[in-house]
Amino acid sequence: IPLTKLTYSRESINNDLTIWTFRDSILTIVHYSVQQKTDSIVGKYKYAVNDKSVLQITLQDGTALTYTVGIISTGYYAVLYQTK
């Protein structure tokens, strides 16, 4: 997952992309279609992070997905490793 503040204009985006926004314990996933020039919300999910870099995302049906967060050495990307 690229970690960056989105500073691109819509006109400069050449490929479809998905944006994950973590804010106020809500993860919002939005898909942007270049062809249609539209945003569509994929979903909004509650999340929590503990002090061991573990991210827990709760789906609407109550299922919890747990990931260990790893930061790539450059600091611009994060990797989510799903735990079982």
Side-chain angles (χ1 to χ4, degrees):
I1 299 172
L3 302 176
T4 184
K5 182 176 182 180
L6 192 60
T7 57
Y8 300 98
S9 68
R10 293 183 191 274
E11 295 77 28
S12 69
I13 299 172
N14 297 320
N15 297 309
D16 290 359
L17 56 92
T18 304
I19 301 169
W20 292 38
T21 304
F22 295 87
R23 183 174 295 131
D24 300 327
S25 298
I26 300 292
L27 163 61
T28 304
I29 302 175
V30 174
H31 176 77
Y32 177 72
S33 169
V34 172
Q35 184 177 9
Q36 297 175 356
K37 297 189 183 332
T38 58
D39 289 329
S40 58
I41 293 179
V42 174
K44 289 188 175 197
Y45 311 98
K46 292 181 181 180
Y47 76 90
V49 179
N50 72 17
D51 60 348
K52 295 182 182 178
S53 297
V54 174
L55 170 67
Q56 183 172 337
I57 300 170
T58 305
L59 305 180
Q60 277 91 359
D61 68 0
T63 303
L65 304 174
T66 305
Y67 298 89
T68 301
V69 180
I71 302 298
I72 305 299
S73 63
T74 62
Y76 292 110
Y77 289 87
V79 179
L80 300 180
Y81 301 100
Q82 188 168 11
T83 58
K84 296 183 182 192

